[in-house]
Amino acid sequence: MQPLAMLSEKLRLLRGEARRWVRPWYIAYAILGALASGLEVILLPAAVARGGGTPGQIGLVVAMMNVGVLASPFWGMLAERLRLHLAVFFAGFILAGLGFLGFALGVGEVVWISGALLIGLGIGAANTVAGLFVVAFMPPEEWNRRISWMQTFNATGQICGLLIAGMFLPRHGMLIAAALVLPAFYFGSRGLPAGVRRRAPLTAVSTVATRSRGFDLPGQVVALVQAFLSRFTVFLLGWFIIVVATSSLYALYPVLMDKLFGISVAAGATLYAVAASLRVPLYGVAGALTTRFGPARIFTVGIASRLVAFSGLSLVAFLHPPFGVAIVCLLVVLSEGVWALMVVSSINLAGSLTTIGQGAGMGLYNAMAALASASGALLGGTIAGHFGYASVCICAAGGSAIALLCIGTLALQAPSPPRLDRRVEAVG
């Protein structure tokens, strides 16, 4: 077959796969990626610094954003119990938009903290419900494909957000971020799964309200005990540890690249953007592999790959081998590339292993990531201050090894995935 004919056939297959798995609301999820992983990452510290804030205030603002994300389990339970999925999804964008607007129009610690908290609350709400649109309304055999396409859109949005943040001053970037809520509303209500728009019956709402007033403490305690004595706990522990390990290094990424490996801040940022771009097409591969081998095994492979990457960075930092910069670049690409495997498989595990309901389970998954990110940043800064930047690479590698032990036990206990219809396996 001629190259042009082969390319045409591949494009035809891709269009068919997109028609089957992609929905218009994924564009809203891409906008969420731009807000949460692109614009927020760059603009929040830049806005505080430009407004005369101290490094301590920058850290406080970033921490408050993560505190807001910790409310994710509440959003998940609210959406699930009252069937307010769409309302919570849109409320998340509204809260985030108000937070960005506050940064654009005001200055001062109170404004920064309030805005960061609103952004965190909004990101947690929208991100939690986006996961529920799949794991609560779609058959499990379709989760991996749909999650992989979702994350492809999200990662594309992240890259666009990073580019926008680099092109505009913090104030103008914040206004653009706030304005993105409008197209998110437009696309976020289209192509949703059947049943999302259905409201809870009045009797169900009344029952939930009654339980809330009386606070069913015994039931809550039993649910929590069951959760902490399950495989779901093992997963959350491994998830928390690997995010702490990763955050401890990436929170210091620009400075660490410069101090340890002689890669300037600008070159390090370019490397990060290139690595994130290369990750985009891997989400489809991640979905196919997760379907074939099971989420626990693929998540284990992702953690093991990050262990290799962080261990390699540690060796380069201490041994200074020839072509060290080239090796570092390859290791950063490896670390970023396997995130596609990790995020697809981890969302699947959060939805399938939860013992406290999918809404609360998905919310707890997001909340643990937020808590781990804040903890990892604090840990990395403390270790670097006392023992040097090279020790941060060792810390990240050690944390990855511990996470590998946790998730590895799930992979060993996981049953072999069932053989699916080959038409499903062929789509990614």
Side-chain angles (χ1 to χ4, degrees), residues 10 17 81 95 115 118 165 204 215 234 241 255-256 312 367 373 399 423:
K10 288 183 178 180
E17 294 168 3
R81 294 186 179 184
L95 290 171
L118 286 174
F215 188 60
V234 178
I241 294 173
V255 181
L256 186 143
S373 296
R423 291 176 298 173

Side-chain angles (χ1 to χ4, degrees), residues 134-147:
V134 173
V135 301
F137 294 96
M138 293 296 176
E141 60 268 21
E142 296 184 3
W143 288 0
N144 297 323
R145 304 302 189 194
R146 296 192 184 279
I147 291 170

Side-chain angles (χ1 to χ4, degrees), residues 106-133:
V107 178
E109 189 173 47
V110 174
V111 173
W112 296 332
I113 291 176
S114 302
L117 183 62
L118 286 174
I119 292 171
L121 288 169
I123 289 172
N127 207 32
T128 297
V129 176
L132 286 177
F133 284 159

Side-chain angles (χ1 to χ4, degrees), residues 158-371:
Q158 175 191 9
I159 294 168
C160 294
L162 289 169
L163 293 174
I164 292 172
M167 293 169 58
F168 294 94
L169 294 173
R171 182 175 181 273
H172 296 147
M174 293 291 185
L175 289 172
I176 292 173
L180 285 174
V181 171
L182 297 178
F185 264 73
Y186 177 80
F187 291 105
S189 61
R190 284 161 171 75
L192 292 169
V196 167
R197 299 177 186 276
R198 218 173 284 143
R199 298 289 185 267
L202 289 177
T203 54
V205 175
S206 176
T207 301
V208 171
T210 301
R211 288 181 179 176
S212 298
R213 286 195 299 267
F215 188 60
D216 184 15
L217 181 60
Q220 295 291 331
V221 171
V222 170
L224 287 174
V225 170
Q226 289 175 343
F228 281 98
L229 295 177
S230 67
R231 297 175 70 224
F232 184 50
T233 305
V234 178
F235 160 68
L236 287 178
L237 180 61
W239 171 240
F240 178 82
I241 294 173
I242 189 60
V243 175
V244 167
T246 301
S247 178
S248 68
L249 189 147
Y250 277 97
L252 304 170
Y253 171 82
V255 181
L256 186 143
M257 289 289 115
D258 185 25
K259 299 293 185 181
L260 282 183
F261 309 117
I263 299 175
S264 69
V265 173
T270 302
L271 173 61
Y272 190 92
V274 170
S277 300
L278 294 175
R279 189 179 67 212
V280 173
L282 295 178
Y283 284 108
V285 177
L289 292 175
T290 303
T291 299
R292 182 173 181 181
F293 297 105
R297 294 184 178 91
I298 297 303
F299 194 36
T300 301
V301 170
I303 294 175
S305 299
R306 281 211 159 164
L307 173 59
V308 171
F310 295 155
S311 299
L313 290 175
S314 302
L315 291 175
V316 173
F318 283 100
L319 300 180
H320 307 289
F323 309 107
V325 172
I327 296 173
V328 169
C329 291
L330 290 175
L331 292 173
V332 170
V333 170
L334 172 63
S335 174
E336 282 300 298
V338 297
W339 176 246
L341 301 179
M342 296 173 67
V343 70
V344 172
S345 57
S346 63
I347 292 176
N348 187 305
L349 287 170
S352 59
L353 294 181
T354 178
T355 58
I356 54 177
Q358 288 178 328
M362 193 61 61
L364 190 56
Y365 163 81
N366 288 322
M368 291 293 280
L371 181 61

